[in-house]
Amino acid sequence: MIFDIDKQTIGDLEIFPEPKNGNSIYSFFNRTATIGGQDTLYEMLNNPVSDLDFLQTRKEEINFFFLHDNHLKLHKRQLDYIEFYLKNRRFPLRDNIIDATFDALSNKVTLNSDYYYISEGIFHIVQLLIDLDLFMEEAKTLIMPLSLEQELEKIKKITSSKKLNDVFKKPPKQPKDLSSSQINKLDQLFRVTEKNTFRELLAAVYKIDVLQTLSQIMKNEGFSLPEYCSESTTKFDVVDGFHPFLASPVKNSFSFNQESNLCFVTGANMSGKSTFLKTMGLMIYLSHVGFPVPAKTLK
């Protein structure tokens, strides 16, 4: 179900950066470790919904990382290199010992930039997969939302591949530790046979990046996850709400219900009326994205 909102309101709430003003809610939340995480964050923030099950699921996913210290180690340079490698237009290396030996010897005779980028890309992927495997091992001992388990299943499709057994047993510390046969075999795996599956793995990694980022914002900025009410009666209850752009905000509590659902906001110029309205509107928007909100509690 779509959550209706017009462009004017999105602009008034400063959800996304405007040409004249780089300050935005997106910029505030944008503390991800990867560029892919930034893109995923934007997509999430740009798609508010009114689906209660969907919102409860996202809340549970964020809360999992908020409650547990089991976080996935992510490095921007590593993921950037992996994306660069995947976009390499050079025809994938053939997975056989003859071609692998020929490619390696040719590179020694005449340095080949494509072969270098492929080797570096595969090395970074292996490092990422090792970190993912460790993350999943630790996650086994925790109670995890079903939706997150499904994301990890996408990762397992790659990490459980027999072609990765040797690199998991003896992890390379640098690209030159990879043999020529491993480079050719894994290039075929990542760019041909499991190309789509590996892209699903990266999407899961970027989603985890966002969820971890949101959980850290909750801890560092005093945000909380909204509580959703399933009954059909009107309810909007905020305790100690504040606007995240303010360095020393005055916190406000506010309540709407079925019997009391009209409010007049009055006060002198520059007394904070607009900020108050933006704060309440922002919390409604963020709650329909399933994100943490700037308040002690929101129902």
Side-chain angles (χ1 to χ4, degrees):
M1 188 183 299
I2 298 173
F3 174 77
D4 269 339
I5 186 169
D6 59 273
K7 291 182 179 180
Q8 180 65 50
T9 304
I10 289 178
D12 289 342
L13 294 179
E14 299 176 278
I15 303 297
F16 300 106
E18 295 290 337
K20 296 181 181 179
N21 180 15
N23 210 21
S24 70
I25 297 303
Y26 167 73
S27 301
F28 178 86
F29 280 108
N30 188 14
R31 308 179 195 183
T32 58
T34 65
I35 293 177
Q38 292 178 16
D39 295 338
T40 302
L41 174 69
Y42 185 92
E43 287 299 314
M44 287 181 175
L45 196 56
N46 197 34
N47 288 283
V49 299
S50 294
D51 186 325
L52 183 59
D53 291 336
F54 176 88
L55 295 171
Q56 289 283 22
T57 296
R58 178 161 290 170
K59 174 182 172 181
E60 290 170 0
E61 291 173 344
I62 298 169
N63 202 41
F64 172 80
F65 289 100
F66 177 75
L67 295 175
H68 304 292
D69 290 328
N70 179 34
H71 283 199
L72 174 62
K73 295 179 181 178
L74 292 170
H75 309 282
K76 181 180 181 299
R77 182 178 179 277
Q78 181 186 68
L79 270 299
D80 286 351
Y81 215 109
I82 290 172
E83 290 287 0
F84 180 77
Y85 154 71
L86 293 175
K87 294 172 183 175
N88 193 316
R89 295 184 179 181
R90 192 226 194 259
F91 195 79
L93 303 176
R94 294 183 176 88
D95 181 14
N96 62 74
I97 189 64
I98 295 175
D99 281 300
T101 304
F102 177 79
D103 290 334
L105 290 175
S106 297
N107 183 61
K108 287 182 179 179
V109 174
T110 305
L111 291 178
N112 185 314
S113 60
D114 284 334
Y115 191 83
Y116 169 80
Y117 291 134
I118 289 172
S119 303
E120 286 280 335
I122 289 171
F123 170 75
H124 286 297
I125 288 177
V126 169
Q127 297 300 309
L128 173 64
L129 295 179
I130 290 172
D131 287 339
L132 283 169
D133 198 50
L134 178 62
F135 169 76
M136 291 189 294
E137 279 298 314
E138 293 176 351
K140 285 181 180 179
T141 62
L142 306 172
I143 299 175
M144 182 179 294
L146 177 61
S147 56
L148 270 182
E149 289 183 3
Q150 293 171 343
E151 295 292 345
L152 295 188
E153 283 300 319
K154 298 175 184 177
I155 295 173
K156 288 179 184 177
K157 288 180 182 178
I158 291 289
T159 57
S160 60
S161 172
K162 293 180 179 179
K163 292 185 177 182
L164 290 166
N165 286 344
D166 50 349
V167 292
F168 275 161
K169 289 178 181 177
K170 190 178 180 181
K173 295 183 179 179
Q174 50 190 338
K176 68 179 185 180
D177 292 338
L178 292 165
S179 68
S180 58
S181 60
Q182 285 177 323
I183 292 171
N184 283 49
K185 177 173 62 179
L186 295 179
D187 189 42
Q188 273 286 317
L189 178 71
F190 300 135
R191 290 205 292 153
V192 182
T193 56
E194 297 293 348
K195 177 181 178 180
N196 294 333
T197 304
F198 187 68
R199 180 50 66 182
E200 289 181 353
L201 176 146
L202 285 179
V205 167
Y206 295 144
K207 180 179 177 180
I208 290 172
D209 186 11
V210 174
L211 298 175
Q212 291 181 165
T213 299
L214 295 175
S215 72
Q216 286 301 311
I217 288 174
M218 284 178 63
K219 292 179 180 179
N220 299 333
E221 304 291 345
F223 280 41
S224 64
L225 289 168
E227 180 180 337
Y228 301 103
C229 306
S230 57
E231 59 264 23
S232 59
T233 56
T234 302
K235 189 176 187 66
F236 181 65
D237 192 7
V238 180
V239 175
D240 289 346
F242 60 94
H243 200 286
F245 290 174
L246 302 179
S248 301
V250 175
K251 297 181 178 181
N252 291 280
S253 298
F254 182 73
S255 183
F256 260 149
N257 55 51
Q258 196 71 26
E259 290 73 35
S260 177
N261 55 20
L262 179 64
C263 176
F264 291 96
V265 181
T266 65
N269 289 342
M270 304 298 291
S271 61
K273 300 187 298 297
S274 296
T275 301
F276 171 78
L277 292 172
K278 285 184 178 182
T279 301
M280 299 304 147
L282 176 61
M283 281 191 282
I284 293 174
Y285 186 91
L286 291 176
S287 67
H288 280 272
V289 183
F291 276 25
V293 297
K296 184 176 181 180
T297 62
L298 169 65
K299 294 182 182 179

